[in-house]
Amino acid sequence: MNMYVMMLITQNTLCMLQKVAGVYSRYRINIEHLNASRHSESLSYWNVVVNTSDEKMELLINQLKKIVGLVEVKVIDKMPLSETVKSVINDKF
Amino acid sequence: MEMTGAQVLVRSLLQMGVDTVFGYPGGAIMPVYDALFNEDGLRHILVRHEQGAAIAAEGYAKALNKVGVCIATSGPGATNLVTGIADAMLDSIPIVCITGQVNSFLIGTDAFQEADIIGMTLPITKWNYQISKATEIQYIISKAFHIAISGRPGPVLIDITKDAQQELLQFDLSQINVFDYSPDLIDEKFYFKAAQLINQAQRPFILAGHGITIAEAEAELEGFINLTGIPVACTLLGLSAVNPEHHLYVGMLGMHGNYAPNILTNEADLIIAVGMRFDDRVTGSLKSYAVNAKVIHIDIDRAELNKNVKADVPICGDAKVVLNQLKQHVIPRNHDSWVKRFKELYQIEHEVVISNETQKKDIGLIKMAEVINLLSKKTDGNAIIVSDVGQNQMTVARYYDFKNPRSHITSGGLGTMGYALPAGIGAKVAKPNTEVIVVCGDGGIQMNIQELAVIAQENLNLKIIILNNEYLGMVRQWQELFFDKRYSFTELLNPNFQKIAEAYSIPSLRVDDHSLLSQGIDQLLQAKTSFLLEVMVEKQGKVFPMVEAGSGVGDVRLQ
């Protein structure tokens, strides 16, 4: 289990939040932190923080890439979770 | 020229090469229906339920390898499409669904027949979009068609508000559109690695999926196996990609597939999966799947690579292109003793299962396999068979020898009961000069039985076989094997299907004896109009071999 900081660039259109969030929820990955802002006239820049495993992260990114209107997705930071955080996560489910 | 949004929509569809649409009118789509009236270039097939429209569009798309189009109104019209859309998503069928929506100023007010169909179909479409201005229509429609058919095909839904349909605008047909969507590219660096594995393998095995027929790569696949001498098996949706008479064709994979391809998956030292996605119905338990094999996985959807089965060599690309490229790197070989293993195991399956199921007997009830086997012989494997879901589907897949590409149409991923009749209508509309035969059970036919009216209204020469065991056969089989014979709500008290056929002006025949079966099928095939043949089959019939849910492919049971 790791904490990942992700960067996404998407088109700034209706429903983009739902399309992106839908992929996270389908893989049962909870979004811990989310920040979306205007990147340019037509693009949005997102920061997303999630706790999950490497395998799930690969599946998630592959599925995110299939969204029409998603321009880029990258993991920009990854760190192992402490035992305390892990136990809190386990409680949540 | 000044036009309404609805007229622009119809022009745009024609511009995309559409000649047939399946649909059902209603309040919020009326401007479009008005534009369709007297439109000679576009044939509109009126279904009797929107689910029928979506599934008929799928059948049409599958038969022609072309985008199918369906139209429905807002609210209930749109929600009724949902099952067909989800089905198209799982089976990678290119369809474009056009739904009406309430006026844009009414959205969010719980207006009459308002439903958030964009929100509802987000997870089951490749792309969806709501048009609220007429100026968007032409561009969005061309984008919708491009997305539906390119890369891994799939469903697209376009929701158009009523005011956008009515808005007037200047329309210029010569407008050129630019797309901003392009699917993944091919990883060329893996060819060499893949070819090396293929050239070294002692027991290689090709698994051919739906991707072959989507890419129209049947000839490339045949060329590839002829060169490399590798045995090939098909998935359920891959059937008809390889001629069953080919000496390297070894049968169908999966839960009710053939014995040899399942068992030998675990003996193979190299699996080459082309255009298939390692569905759980193919793999069984992943822990005991392909235990001795390295895996080359070729798929156009990058998200499928390493999803279920880890690939040693993942290749993302179109099956036709990849097979052509790979062919240049592999050496001619033969694997006679390995292929012989498949034939030996087939003999076992033939003795224990196939001969018993297909041979005509004088006593007892007719078996499903007997009907399909006879149908296969009488049509020489040249008909398009549209099957439903359950025992009838598995029996068709096992016992019909599909000789032409795209002649097997069924709901694979979603397993949609009620699929066969509307999909058969779609296929018959697409290929009016080919024999199209719908094979379904007594349960499935009743899920979209209203579509019989389309056959009468459109004067379609569609043949229907109902394999009637008065049970939901596949569920009954599971209840017998795994639920202690507790047949919970699977017995059906059916209507008189012949009277129903008669009500829709469809000639019919009921067969309940071996001696009349051959004659009955002849009558079905010789009919110049549509025809419904009801065959009473064994109630206790079970489809074997079977890989039980949760067990590995190596544990496939013959009885």
Side-chain angles (χ1 to χ4, degrees), chain A residues 11 14-15 18-19 26-27 55 58-59 62-63 65-69, chain B residues 118 122 126-128 143 147 152 180-181 301-303 305-307 310:
Chain A
Q11 284 175 353
L14 269 179
C15 259
Q18 286 91 326
K19 283 181 189 177
R26 202 182 149 202
Y27 282 95
E55 294 78 34
E58 190 188 337
L59 294 175
N62 280 337
Q63 293 295 345
K65 281 181 178 166
K66 284 165 69 171
I67 296 175
V68 178
Chain B
I118 293 294
L122 269 180
K126 212 175 154 188
W127 184 59
N128 65 15
K143 185 169 171 179
I147 291 175
R152 176 180 180 175
D180 54 0
Y181 166 83
D301 182 359
R302 195 180 293 270
L305 305 172
N306 290 329
K307 187 182 84 176
K310 287 276 170 218

Side-chain angles (χ1 to χ4, degrees), chain B residues 287-299:
Chain B
K287 283 189 195 107
S288 46
Y289 182 74
V291 283
N292 296 309
K294 286 206 179 323
V295 175
I296 299 172
H297 191 180
I298 301 163
D299 200 285

Side-chain angles (χ1 to χ4, degrees), chain B residues 285-326:
Chain B
S285 164
L286 284 170
K287 283 189 195 107
S288 46
Y289 182 74
V291 283
N292 296 309
K294 286 206 179 323
V295 175
I296 299 172
H297 191 180
I298 301 163
D299 200 285
I300 198 155
D301 182 359
R302 195 180 293 270
E304 291 301 337
L305 305 172
N306 290 329
K307 187 182 84 176
N308 294 337
V309 172
K310 287 276 170 218
D312 297 274
V313 184
I315 301 180
C316 181
D318 178 85
K320 192 173 193 154
V321 179
V322 175
L323 286 174
N324 264 333
Q325 288 284 330
L326 262 184

Side-chain angles (χ1 to χ4, degrees), chain B residues 127-288:
Chain B
W127 184 59
N128 65 15
Y129 190 82
Q130 188 174 65
I131 296 176
S132 56
K133 287 188 204 74
T135 47
E136 295 178 292
I137 292 173
Q138 195 192 14
Y139 172 73
I140 293 298
I141 290 295
S142 55
K143 185 169 171 179
F145 275 75
H146 177 67
I147 291 175
I149 197 88
S150 57
R152 176 180 180 175
V156 172
L157 182 134
I158 302 299
D159 196 32
I160 310 180
T161 61
K162 197 170 179 180
D163 47 338
Q165 296 170 38
Q166 288 168 322
E167 197 184 326
L168 285 167
L169 78 160
Q170 285 298 325
F171 179 68
D172 175 11
L173 198 74
S174 61
Q175 248 175 289
I176 294 166
N177 301 294
V178 189
F179 310 109
D180 54 0
Y181 166 83
S182 59
D184 280 331
L185 295 168
I186 295 168
D187 303 327
E188 294 200 358
K189 57 182 172 182
F190 290 117
Y191 285 134
F192 183 69
K193 221 172 141 192
Q196 207 175 16
L197 284 179
I198 293 169
N199 291 338
Q200 285 166 359
Q202 294 308 308
R203 294 181 306 282
F205 184 23
I206 295 178
L207 318 181
H210 194 195
I212 300 284
T213 43
I214 294 173
E216 298 184 350
E218 295 88 359
E220 284 72 13
L221 178 67
E222 197 182 331
F224 188 78
I225 57 175
N226 285 341
L227 180 73
T228 54
I230 304 176
V232 55
C234 289
T235 64
L236 176 67
L237 294 185
L239 290 176
S240 84
V242 186
N243 189 324
E245 282 165 4
H246 195 286
H247 68 286
L248 290 169
Y249 178 69
V250 295
M252 183 175 77
L253 294 158
M255 185 174 264
H256 293 288
N258 290 101
Y259 188 54
N262 275 318
I263 290 262
L264 295 180
T265 298
N266 277 353
E267 281 182 31
D269 64 352
L270 179 66
I271 300 270
I272 306 152
V274 194
M276 56 87 76
R277 58 184 175 88
F278 292 109
D279 180 86
D280 60 281
R281 284 297 190 264
V282 163
T283 63
S285 164
L286 284 170
K287 283 189 195 107
S288 46

Side-chain angles (χ1 to χ4, degrees), chain B residues 400-429:
Chain B
Y400 195 89
D401 291 332
F402 297 95
K403 295 218 175 107
N404 304 309
R406 284 187 296 290
S407 58
H408 176 230
I409 297 178
T410 194
S411 166
L414 197 67
T416 308
M417 272 179 77
Y419 179 91
L421 182 55
I425 289 170
K428 189 68 197 180
V429 169

